[in-house]
Each structure stands twice: as structure tokens, then as C-alpha cells.
Amino acid sequence: MLVLDRRGKPLMPTTPRRARQLLRSGRARVHRVQPFVLRIVDRRVEDSETEPLVLGIDPGFRHTGVALAREQEVPDPRSGRATTIRHGLFLLRVDHRGAVIRDRLSARSALRRGRRSRKLRYRAPRFDNRARAAGWLAPSIRHRAETTVTWARRLAAWAPVTRIDLEVPRFDARALHRADAAVGDRGQGTLHGTEVREYVLERDGRTCVYCGASGLGAASVPLTLDHVRARAHGGPDAPANLVAACVPCNRDKGDREVEEYLARRPAVLARVRRSLASVVQQDLSVSVSRSALCRALQSVGPEVRTHSGGRTKWNRSRAGLPWDHVTDALCVGRVDAIASLPALQHVAVSMGRGSYSRTRMDRYGFPRLRLTRRKMHHGLITGDLVRAVVPSGRRAGTHVGRVAVRASGSCNITTARSTVQHIGHRHITVLQRGDGYRHLRAPVALAA
Ligand SMILES: [Zn+2]
């Protein structure tokens, strides 16, 4: 639990048990609900001891792991050298919406292109105002850097962070696309093989491209690399020829050509082709956004150090931790052991802040609604965290969740379990204003 002093300056995080005690005794107030931040009303940071905290960041394409940890130097009696031990205090996963942004912008540009070629009134050519400023990033990429910086800034305001450890590109795209490098079936053995394997698994979302079995979570299956064009037919060991596949699918496909194997499953074949084609774009955008991220993080305050992804992986396997975005974030940088970590991680899903679109379309593309320009109705904005206490009727009870507002005042509330429709605004109180994220709690991956 994150803790602030009476003036809002960060103190050392505390345990949930201690937080409950502080709240019960009236010594603390709830400063923020999600993620939970306490403010102690009778304490100043000058009267308390704070220890240096490290913020580890593992930026990714879809998810970014962030870990807040206390670092401890322990001298090793045998070698005499100090070993660095980390205690994980707060784990956060940020879910990006870069793909949504990209799709919406392509849809908009397609619409505008169509409109330009329609037979409408004459329009004089515009002056050329299409220059891009230096340092321009695609909106979907800028979004990834900006959301990560937002959370780094927030955590630095809620905890006494003294250093940020940032993981820099794990994948050297040009080196990975060399076809001559030996990978092997499981991509293990060499550092290069490990990197190719990690790269392909990350690109394919750690799921089998043929059957969709996941390599993550409790019901995970072991994933292998499958040669789309078999090595027996001269297929190279390059990411452009490799996909993630579970063992049964890999064995089932064997040396067959992928077109033959997926002859009856055209949708899966299309997915495999898309996956292979997405190679260059993804790693390019990740490395571009990481260098932009590194520059942007300098403005947060604490010193920023960069570390290689290979070191992260090495640290994590030495600590015996399973793969997860947050465990990777905890292992970024120079660390010898992980002493403890929370069982739950906070998940912040980027939701955006609404749309400029003034209508919704039906399935034929005709306008269906007229949306208002106002965002606030009856004191509520879509995305606020609210509590509704409904005294009677079919929806009687207490509902806590994210609200979606209609101008009529009839709201929907998305709780952790379901969406409750048509709740009157009179029953609703705001717990926390919307901040562009949906907040969840999830267990840290326990199975390797
Ligand atoms: Zn499979």
C-alpha cells in the first residue's frame, strides 16, 4: 500500500494490515482508491525514515511492466562483495492501446481518402502543411511512451523513488533477421537463439498460432518454434519463417507446407501470414518507443539507468521467477536476488478519454445516434469510478465500478464481474474521477 504524509509527500509503502490499522485508528485518510494510496494525517516526511526505492520498467509492445522495489545491499561473507537484494513492494502492468489508436487512425484516413475522390464541389489545393516536426512519433508509439511516463511520474509522487531502471531493446532487429544463425527447435543454447526465441514468442503473444493455446497463466502449454517452411524444404531459421506453436500442433504439422496443413482453416492461415508480416513493424516501433521513452523518463526526476534485456532474463532465471511483465520489471538492472514480491499486481488498462465521433454507425454504415459534445452529465463522466446503492427493484444492491453515462442520466456500471445497465444517476456517488484507465487486480504468474 502506497503512503503519503500529511502534506502529500511520499513515505515508505506499508502492508495492507498496517494500512487497515491506520485507517481504523483514524490516523490515515484514503487519498486515492485505485491504486490504493493512503495519507497519514499526523506524520511528516521529515520525521520519518525513508529508504531508497527503485522503479524497474520493462516496456513492451502491448504491456509494460513496472515494479517498485526496496533495494538492500548485503555483504556476502564468502566473497566479501556486496550482493543486491530486492523486495518487491508494488507491481503494475500497463496495458497499452496502440493497436486501437492505429486502427482508428487508418479508418479515419481511409474515410477521408474516399471523401476526397467523391464528386463534390471544387476545392482549391491546400498549401503544403504536411511537414512533420523533428522527433515526430506515430501516435500509437507516442501513446506507449506517454502512458509509461505517466505511471512513472505517479509512482514517483506516491513513493520515495530514487532511481529508475529501464530495460532497453531486447531485440536487435537486424541481427535477428540474419537467416544464417543457428536457432534449433526450441531456440535454446546460444544467446542469439534465445533472443530469436524470445522475439518470436513476444511477437506471437505467447500463444500457439495454430490452435491458440496460451503459454501463459495456470493452464499454460509449453511453446516451441515452428518452421513455417520446414527446414527439410530449405526454410531458414529466421523470425520471418518462425512462429510460436504448441508441441502437438508442431508435431501435427511436421514437414508439410503451411498452405497444405491449413488448407481447411483459411482464417488461421491468414493469421499466420499476418503474424509473419508483422515482424519488422513491431520491433521497429518497440525500439523507437523505447528510445523516446528513455528521453521522456529523464523528466520524471530520479536518475534513469538503462540495462539490457538479456540481463533481465538472466536475473529472473537466477531468482527462479516465472515469466511475467511485472517479474521482468522487478529483475531489470543489477540485482542478485529477489527476496519477496506481492501476490497481486495492479493492472491499468488504457481506455482513452472518449471519442470525437459525433455519431455511431449501424452495421450498414448509416448514422444511428447523435452524440452530445458534453462529456459530463449529472456530475458524472464516462470512466469515473463510482459506487451505486440501489435501494429497490431488479438492480437492488451496491455496485462499484466504472460508469458509462447517458445524457438521460441512466448509467451503466461495469463491475469486476459484469455490467449493470440502467442505473439512475441519483443512486450514484463518485469514488474517483476517471484517469483514462480501467483498474484491475490480477495474480502474478505463478506457473512458469
Ligand atoms: Zn497448438
Side-chain angles (χ1 to χ4, degrees):
M1 302 281 125
L2 301 157
V3 183
L4 305 177
D5 80 347
R6 55 183 294 186
R7 291 175 183 168
K9 296 272 185 291
L11 298 174
M12 287 300 285
T14 185
T15 59
R17 204 182 107 109
R18 176 93 182 110
R20 276 194 296 274
Q21 284 174 353
L22 285 166
L23 280 171
R24 220 176 292 133
S25 64
R27 288 187 55 207
R29 304 274 182 277
V30 176
H31 180 77
R32 195 190 150 96
V33 184
Q34 282 182 339
F36 196 72
V37 183
L38 273 183
R39 185 160 38 81
I40 301 187
V41 291
D42 59 359
R43 179 77 70 79
R44 288 193 317 172
V45 69
E46 292 84 357
D47 312 326
S48 333
E49 277 185 24
T50 60
E51 291 166 76
L53 297 185
V54 179
L55 199 63
I57 301 180
D58 169 32
F61 187 71
R62 294 186 187 84
H63 313 280
T64 288
V66 181
L68 185 69
R70 180 163 62 85
E71 226 172 52
Q72 198 183 3
E73 301 274 331
V74 180
D76 189 343
R78 275 169 298 169
S79 65
R81 284 189 305 119
T83 56
T84 309
I85 295 175
R86 274 189 194 166
H87 303 260
L89 300 175
F90 181 78
L91 303 176
L92 166 78
R93 193 184 82 203
V94 184
D95 289 4
H96 302 300
R97 59 197 291 275
V100 177
I101 293 173
R102 191 195 54 219
D103 292 349
R104 295 234 173 118
L105 287 176
S106 345
R108 187 181 73 179
S109 73
L111 182 84
R112 288 181 174 175
R113 192 166 299 128
R115 193 162 62 195
R116 277 199 296 279
S117 63
R118 257 174 253 157
K119 284 193 183 300
L120 297 171
R121 69 174 170 81
Y122 172 74
R123 284 163 201 260
R126 299 205 296 182
F127 62 92
D128 183 14
N129 60 350
R130 302 302 165 97
R132 278 175 181 166
W136 180 90
L137 289 174
S140 57
I141 297 174
R142 211 178 79 193
H143 148 83
R144 279 186 207 110
E146 283 178 351
T147 44
T148 309
V149 171
T150 295
W151 279 100
R153 190 161 281 146
R154 286 179 179 181
L155 287 170
W158 297 332
V161 175
T162 47
R163 198 178 77 231
I164 296 176
D165 278 349
L166 175 69
E167 184 182 309
V168 288
R170 177 175 7 196
F171 311 118
D172 179 353
R174 251 171 302 175
L176 286 181
H177 285 125
R178 281 204 323 265
D180 54 359
V183 177
D185 279 342
R186 292 177 138 259
Q188 283 159 355
T190 62
L191 176 66
H192 180 79
T194 315
E195 296 225 326
V196 169
R197 180 182 151 80
E198 283 299 307
Y199 172 84
V200 173
L201 291 184
E202 175 77 17
R203 183 198 66 194
D204 294 343
R206 289 176 197 268
T207 51
C208 171
V209 292
Y210 299 124
C211 71
S214 175
L216 297 177
S220 68
V221 297
L223 290 177
T224 59
L225 297 189
D226 181 51
H227 288 73
V228 172
R229 188 182 172 86
R231 256 187 304 181
H233 302 305
D237 287 339
N241 188 46
L242 293 167
V243 288
C246 67
V247 179
C249 287
N250 198 337
R251 199 173 295 151
D252 191 29
K253 176 173 170 288
D255 283 354
R256 278 185 284 174
E257 294 292 334
V258 69
E259 289 81 5
E260 185 196 333
Y261 175 55
L262 296 174
R264 291 177 175 200
R265 293 188 285 166
V268 178
L269 183 62
R271 190 169 71 206
V272 171
R273 292 223 167 100
R274 253 201 321 275
S275 189
L276 292 174
S278 67
V279 167
V280 175
Q281 198 198 349
Q282 281 201 8
D283 60 51
L284 194 69
S285 69
V286 168
S287 66
V288 167
S289 63
R290 281 183 199 195
S291 54
L293 176 62
C294 187
R295 267 177 277 124
L297 278 174
Q298 313 274 355
S299 69
V300 173
E303 176 199 2
V304 180
R305 287 190 200 163
T306 55
H307 305 274
S308 81
R311 181 186 281 278
T312 305
K313 189 147 189 283
W314 163 245
N315 287 342
R316 181 164 53 71
S317 60
R318 262 199 314 175
L321 290 175
W323 180 84
D324 194 311
H325 294 282
V326 288
T327 51
D328 259 6
L330 193 57
C331 294
V332 174
R334 290 178 187 283
V335 56
D336 296 299
I338 305 294
S340 60
L341 73 164
L344 288 176
Q345 58 180 313
H346 188 92
V347 181
V349 187
S350 308
M351 301 296 286
R353 291 174 180 275
S355 153
Y356 286 109
S357 164
R358 295 275 64 85
T359 185
R360 296 273 158 77
M361 285 182 286
D362 63 14
R363 62 197 167 113
Y364 305 107
F366 287 99
R368 193 168 66 84
L369 293 172
R370 278 176 65 89
L371 303 179
T372 62
R373 273 190 186 278
R374 268 173 53 198
K375 278 190 170 179
M376 184 178 275
H377 298 283
H378 309 282
L380 300 168
I381 302 178
T382 294
D384 288 347
L385 177 70
V386 298
R387 176 191 286 130
V389 182
V390 185
S392 61
R394 209 147 52 86
R395 296 169 198 89
T398 304
H399 313 283
V400 177
R402 208 181 120 89
V403 73
V405 193
R406 293 188 190 85
S408 65
S410 157
C411 303
N412 295 356
I413 296 180
T414 305
T415 65
R417 271 161 293 147
S418 62
T419 299
V420 191
Q421 304 233 359
H422 298 294
I423 293 183
H425 67 92
R426 278 173 223 287
H427 303 309
I428 296 177
T429 48
V430 177
L431 299 177
Q432 180 175 301
R433 282 291 174 201
D435 60 353
Y437 297 89
R438 196 154 68 89
H439 298 275
L440 308 166
R441 306 258 284 158
V444 177
L446 293 174

